[in-house]
């Protein structure tokens, strides 16, 4: 991504004063800008006599990012992932794991899209339980009080063939490996993600294997009103940061998104066109409540055909 200094000719707000302000926060390039805590950056402008112009500069950079961000998966990235032989983490559902050629890929941002009661949270809880049981630590960001320790315990019990003593030990391990945090707005999300980034860099949280956000859309939707560039640019910034965390630290990131009304009475994923190209994989969940059968369809995936589908039973 370009250096901020290369943007001044076309965008006068990104002048030497603005660049000096950014460099004091170790921001030299657009990539640095995206990885920085934007909320903290805006607050820090208040210490300067030209704070309003600095805020305008921040908005200008966000607008540029929103208009010019590049495709989120390219051939070089896919080749790099293939050469690193990244592994798959289980979803807790054998049919889904088989369908996805092993499960949720490390280094990928995977999005579950579906209507209310389609099973998004259930799959998040099953995946968290399965990974925490045998693979490592999970960070579960809960935006709607969906995380349930009781449900986690039920999942572990139903999927284990262990003695009472072994089951108790397994439950303790699973619970110890899941860190659940309540996150109710995008600024708190930025705070948590930047703290996670810093911890991973310093190897404090080096055993984290999965990050779950249920749901990403409830955090982003409130900032998209009014059609302004700022909200969309913040959304792109969140997407970039999530993909950076996934790729740099081989974390599997799983997020959920709800459905909204589309044309002619149809439904479509929330968050619009700017978000659609961000996740590596986009999977649509639906549920036949009469037959009690769920299905997963591919909306977007680097290695699977759009429209591929599997049916399964949720526990």
């Amino acid at each position: 991504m370009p250096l901020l200094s290369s943007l001044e000719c076309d965008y006068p707000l990104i002048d030497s004063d603005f660049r000096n302000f950014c460099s004091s926060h170790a921001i030299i390039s657009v990539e640095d800008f995206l990885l920085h805590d934007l909320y903290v950056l805006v607050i820090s402008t208040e210490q300067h006599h030209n704070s309003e112009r600095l805020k305008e500069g921040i908005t200008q950079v966000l607008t540029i990012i929103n208009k010019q961000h590049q495709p989120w998966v390219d051939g070089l990235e896919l080749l790099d992932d293939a050469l690193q032989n990244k592994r798959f983490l289980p979803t807790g559902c054998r049919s889904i794991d088989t369908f996805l050629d092993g499960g949720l890929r490390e280094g990928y941002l995977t999005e579950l899209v579906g209507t209310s009661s389609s099973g998004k949270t259930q799959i998040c809880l099953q995946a968290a339980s399965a990974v925490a049981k045998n693979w490592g630590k999970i960070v579960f960001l809960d935006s709607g009080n969906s995380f349930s320790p009781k449900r986690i315990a039920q999942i572990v019990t139903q999927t284990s063939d262990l003695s009472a003593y072994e089951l108790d030990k397994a439950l303790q391990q699973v619970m110890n490996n899941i860190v659940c945090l309540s996150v109710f707005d995008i600024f708190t999300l930025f705070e948590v993600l930047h703290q996670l980034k810093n911890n991973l860099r310093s190897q404090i949280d080096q055993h984290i294997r999965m990050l779950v956000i249920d749901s990403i859309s409830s955090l982003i939707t409130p900032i998209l009103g009014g059609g302004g560039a700022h909200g969309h640019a913040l959304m792109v910034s969140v997407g970039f940061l999530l993909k950076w965390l996934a790729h740099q630290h081989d974390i599997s990131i799983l997020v959920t998104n709800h459905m909204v009304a589309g044309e002619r009475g149809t439904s479509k994923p929330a968050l619009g066109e700017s978000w659609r190209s961000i996740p590596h994989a986009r999977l649509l969940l639906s549920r036949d409540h009469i037959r009690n059968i769920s299905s997963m369809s591919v909306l977007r995936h680097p290695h699977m055909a759009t429209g591929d589908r599997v049916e399964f039973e949720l526990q």
Side-chain angles (χ1 to χ4, degrees), residues 77 79-87 105 247-248 250:
E77 185 178 340
L79 177 61
D80 184 41
D81 282 350
L83 291 174
Q84 291 184 41
N85 192 28
K86 295 191 175 181
R87 293 173 293 185
R105 194 178 180 96
H247 182 71
Q248 291 295 319
D250 290 337

Side-chain angles (χ1 to χ4, degrees), residues 186-187 190 219-228 230-235 238:
I186 195 166
F187 301 108
F190 270 118
L219 300 174
I220 294 176
T221 299
I223 65 168
L224 296 181
H230 188 260
H232 284 83
L234 284 175
M235 176 178 69
V238 167

Side-chain angles (χ1 to χ4, degrees), residues 147-172:
F147 183 81
S148 169
K150 182 178 179 181
R151 186 67 189 115
I152 292 286
Q154 290 174 343
I155 292 170
V156 174
T157 301
Q158 291 169 0
T159 57
S160 302
D161 185 16
L162 302 171
S163 67
Y165 174 74
E166 292 172 329
L167 180 60
D168 186 60
K169 287 186 66 176
L171 283 171
Q172 288 184 32

Side-chain angles (χ1 to χ4, degrees), residues 139-143 179-183 192:
V139 175
F140 197 111
L141 303 186
D142 182 4
S143 68
V179 177
C180 180
L181 300 172
S182 295
V183 177
V192 171

